[in-house]
């Protein structure tokens, strides 16, 4: 007898959920005749003493099992006749679950698996993956992310006994919290009093992933990816220039802290390329990537219709992606409870992670798997249609860059990243 099995999630179109919500679905069986882990290796020692050390860590965040078809009352196994059989299941997802993630040295993976226990035969298994997103409301983060942040650098260039006049560089962002799909507006000020030509300004949005091992020792491994890059204008010698540039955040995992085995942080990285020998000025500004955008105030030009279907005041400025009893988010839309009306800001869709490749979620334990589906994590992304969101608040007047007196300084504001990430199994 040939067996075909499928697991379908009934309250999410693409199998994407927020932690704290309820997951429901059904198992479809057709009978016809005919976990979070982290791992990497390092070489240690020399010559004959050289060896490979495996650094690993694993944590299980979720485990739930439901018997869909049990044995008969007399203890005999139940025999399923040929045909189609559908069994429903549900699982409450804890609110503390970390966000799904697939990385080079570890992953946080959630799976649902059906096991067909056959007496005197090998069990048959079928497994699919689903995405869990830990909500990160930027409006609940530290108030400092709402403030304009500025990074400055002043530099002179020397050659033997000769020294140029200073180069002053300043980069400003209106706030430091963003969501995928949102543009980061940058203001670049170049005051080049030297004779050197500024060839350009390399702007990058960097993603830094940190993996934490627990065996045989606590150790960390980091990797940095460039997820957005742009080359801005330079300036000639003894000249000034100010311009603005927008970098759009792609679909990526939200910022995650180091409470778990995998943490993810983001930062703006800018390199001012100076002609000739000498070190190029480098400026960095830490950012937080969330799932719910900052809301400063409602624009006066937007008419807010009365809320009649939601039992909470419309003054709550925030986004609720649903609750355990409501419809869950999907790429086709969300239940908008305790949110601003759709005319004010469109809800997010769920998109595949940028540069993500489909992974096979079966492992060595699935020796008798009858099938699976390729899996790619899905993260919320907003479509602002090239509009600036939120409307930029009035920027405080900034002091002009110093004219002639050289002040060697470099300032940066940092806030700790927060979140979770890791491996999980649900079977």
């Amino acid at each position: 007898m040939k067996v075909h099995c499928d697991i379908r999630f009934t309250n999410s179109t693409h199998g994407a959920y927020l932690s704290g919500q309820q997951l429901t679905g059904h198992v479809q069986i057709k009978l016809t005749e005919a976990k979070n882990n982290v791992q990497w290796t390092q070489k240690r020692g020399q010559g004959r003493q050289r060896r490979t050390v495996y650094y690993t860590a694993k944590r299980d965040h979720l485990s739930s099992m439901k018997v869909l078809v049990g044995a008969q009352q007399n203890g005999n196994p139940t025999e399923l006749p040929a045909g189609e059989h559908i069994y429903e299941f549900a699982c409450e997802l804890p609110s503390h679950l970390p966000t799904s993630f697939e990385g080079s040295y570890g992953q946080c993976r959630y799976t649902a698996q059906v096991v067909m226990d056959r007496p005197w035969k090998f069990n048959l298994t079928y497994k699919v993956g689903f995405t869990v997103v830990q909500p990160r409301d930027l409006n609940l983060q530290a108030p400092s992310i709402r403030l304009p942040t500025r990074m400055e650098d002043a530099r002179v260039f020397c050659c033997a006994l000769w020294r140029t006049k200073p180069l002053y560089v300043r980069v400003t962002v209106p706030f430091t919290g963003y969501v995928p799909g949102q543009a980061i507006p940058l203001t670049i000020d170049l005051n080049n009093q030297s004779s050197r030509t500024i060839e350009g300004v390399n702007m990058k949005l960097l993603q830094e992933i940190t993996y934490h091992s627990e065996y045989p020792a606590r150790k960390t491994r980091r990797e940095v990816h460039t997820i957005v890059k742009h080359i801005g204008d330079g300036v000639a010698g003894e000249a000034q220039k100010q311009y603005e540039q927008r970098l759009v955040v792609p679909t990526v995992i939200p910022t995650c802290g180091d409470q778990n085995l995998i943490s993810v942080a983001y930062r703006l990285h800018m390199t001012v390329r100076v002609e000739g020998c000498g070190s190029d000025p480098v400026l960095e500004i830490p950012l937080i990537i969330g799932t719910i955008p900052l809301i400063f105030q409602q624009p006066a030009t937007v008419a807010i219709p009365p809320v009649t279907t939601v039992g909470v005041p419309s003054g709550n400025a925030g986004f609720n992606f649903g609750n355990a009893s409501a419809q869950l988010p999907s790429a086709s839309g969300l239940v908008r409870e305790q949110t601003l009306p759709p005319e004010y800001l469109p809800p997010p869709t769920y998109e595949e992670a940028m540069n993500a490749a489909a992974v096979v979620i079966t492992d060595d334990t699935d020796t008798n798997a009858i099938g699976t589906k390729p899996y790619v994590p899905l993260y919320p992304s907003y479509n602002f249609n090239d509009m600036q969101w939120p409307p930029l608040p009035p920027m405080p007047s900034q002091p002009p860059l110093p004219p002639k007196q050289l002040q060697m300084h470099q300032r940066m504001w940092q806030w700790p990243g927060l979140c979770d990430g890791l491996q999980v199994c649900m079977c």
Side-chain angles (χ1 to χ4, degrees):
M1 181 174 290
K2 186 178 179 180
V3 180
H4 171 77
C5 182
D6 191 16
I7 299 177
R8 298 181 180 180
F9 302 105
T10 56
N11 59 347
S12 177
T13 306
H14 296 277
Y17 297 88
L18 298 181
S19 56
Q21 294 181 329
Q22 184 187 56
L23 178 153
T24 63
H26 65 249
V27 176
Q28 183 181 47
I29 301 175
K30 291 183 180 179
L31 304 176
T32 59
E33 300 293 343
K35 302 174 176 189
N36 183 336
N37 65 14
V38 171
Q39 178 177 334
W40 71 85
T41 62
Q42 286 186 351
K43 300 290 185 180
R44 291 295 183 88
Q46 296 180 351
R48 295 183 178 179
Q49 302 297 324
R50 189 169 180 80
R51 67 192 190 280
T52 301
V53 180
Y54 292 85
Y55 291 92
T56 63
K58 180 179 180 180
R59 294 180 191 172
D60 291 335
H61 291 274
L62 175 66
S63 179
S64 177
M65 184 179 69
K66 180 179 180 180
V67 178
L68 302 177
V69 180
Q72 301 181 27
Q73 292 183 353
N74 57 9
N76 294 330
T78 300
E79 182 177 351
L80 296 179
E84 182 176 297
H85 307 266
I86 297 178
Y87 305 95
E88 296 183 351
F89 65 90
C91 175
E92 293 287 344
L93 301 178
S95 59
H96 66 273
L97 291 182
T99 299
S100 301
F101 178 74
E102 297 287 334
S104 303
Y105 304 104
Q107 66 275 338
C108 173
R109 185 180 297 168
Y110 298 84
T111 61
Q113 183 182 50
V114 58
V115 179
M116 284 162 275
D117 188 356
R118 305 186 301 170
W120 308 105
K121 294 182 181 180
F122 291 110
N123 295 338
L124 299 179
T125 62
Y126 183 81
K127 183 187 292 184
V128 298
F130 61 94
T131 301
V132 173
V133 177
Q134 174 72 43
R136 178 167 294 276
D137 188 346
L138 296 177
N139 300 283
L140 303 180
Q141 304 300 310
S144 54
I145 73 170
R146 296 173 172 267
L147 302 177
T149 300
R150 183 174 68 231
M151 183 72 175
E152 298 176 346
D153 188 280
R155 186 159 306 198
V156 296
F157 305 95
C158 304
C159 183
L161 300 178
W162 175 79
R163 187 177 71 173
T164 69
K165 291 183 179 181
L167 163 66
Y168 296 99
V169 182
R170 178 164 60 200
V171 179
T172 307
V173 293
F175 41 89
T176 55
Y178 298 87
V179 296
Q182 186 176 7
I184 305 173
L186 305 174
T187 302
I188 296 93
D189 290 280
L190 301 173
N191 183 356
N192 185 14
Q193 300 180 16
S194 73
S195 57
R196 299 282 187 91
T197 299
I198 307 302
E199 298 176 342
V201 180
N202 293 351
M203 312 172 198
K204 298 179 181 179
L205 177 57
L206 300 181
Q207 178 191 65
E208 182 176 358
I209 307 168
T210 305
Y211 303 90
H212 305 268
S213 73
E214 296 179 340
Y215 179 84
R218 292 186 177 274
K219 197 174 182 67
T220 60
R221 180 160 188 167
R222 290 180 172 84
E223 59 177 351
V224 178
H225 300 286
T226 299
I227 58 176
V228 179
K229 61 181 178 180
H230 178 79
I231 300 179
D233 297 336
V235 66
E238 299 180 352
Q240 299 185 42
K241 189 170 189 177
Q242 180 188 79
Y243 62 92
E244 296 182 353
Q245 180 63 47
R246 288 157 49 97
L247 301 179
V248 178
V249 180
T251 304
V252 292
I253 180 175
T255 300
C256 301
D258 54 5
Q259 296 88 347
N260 287 284
L261 299 183
I262 302 174
S263 58
V264 182
Y266 297 90
R267 65 180 185 270
L268 281 173
H269 179 95
M270 285 145 286
T271 303
V272 181
R273 295 185 291 111
V274 182
E275 181 186 44
C277 60
S279 60
D280 296 335
V282 176
L283 306 93
E284 290 191 336
I285 300 177
L287 300 179
I288 294 180
I289 304 299
T291 60
I292 302 175
L294 283 172
I295 298 176
F296 290 91
Q297 58 184 358
Q298 297 182 2
T301 57
V302 177
I304 305 298
V307 179
T308 58
T309 60
V310 178
V312 294
S314 61
N316 290 342
F319 290 84
N320 185 338
F321 289 89
N323 52 39
S325 61
Q327 179 184 354
L328 298 183
S330 68
S332 61
L334 302 173
V335 173
R336 300 182 58 83
E337 294 183 2
Q338 300 180 9
T339 68
L340 296 174
E343 292 81 3
Y344 187 74
L345 184 67
T349 58
Y350 279 77
E351 309 290 344
E352 292 185 358
M354 189 195 72
N355 297 332
V359 297
V360 178
I361 59 177
T362 55
D363 52 33
D364 296 338
T365 63
D366 303 317
T367 55
N368 294 282
I370 60 176
T372 186
K373 291 181 179 179
Y375 168 71
V376 178
L378 304 175
Y379 302 123
S381 179
Y382 290 79
N383 182 9
F384 294 103
N385 296 322
D386 297 328
M387 73 175 181
Q388 176 59 53
W389 180 268
L392 295 181
M395 293 288 289
S397 58
Q398 299 181 4
L401 290 174
K404 298 207 173 182
Q405 291 187 355
L406 173 63
Q407 297 178 359
M408 298 297 295
H409 64 282
Q410 197 170 17
R411 293 189 288 176
M412 176 172 59
W413 289 259
Q414 287 186 339
W415 298 276
L418 305 171
C419 180
D420 334 276
L422 219 38
Q423 145 124 15
V424 180
C425 267
M426 184 189 113
C427 11

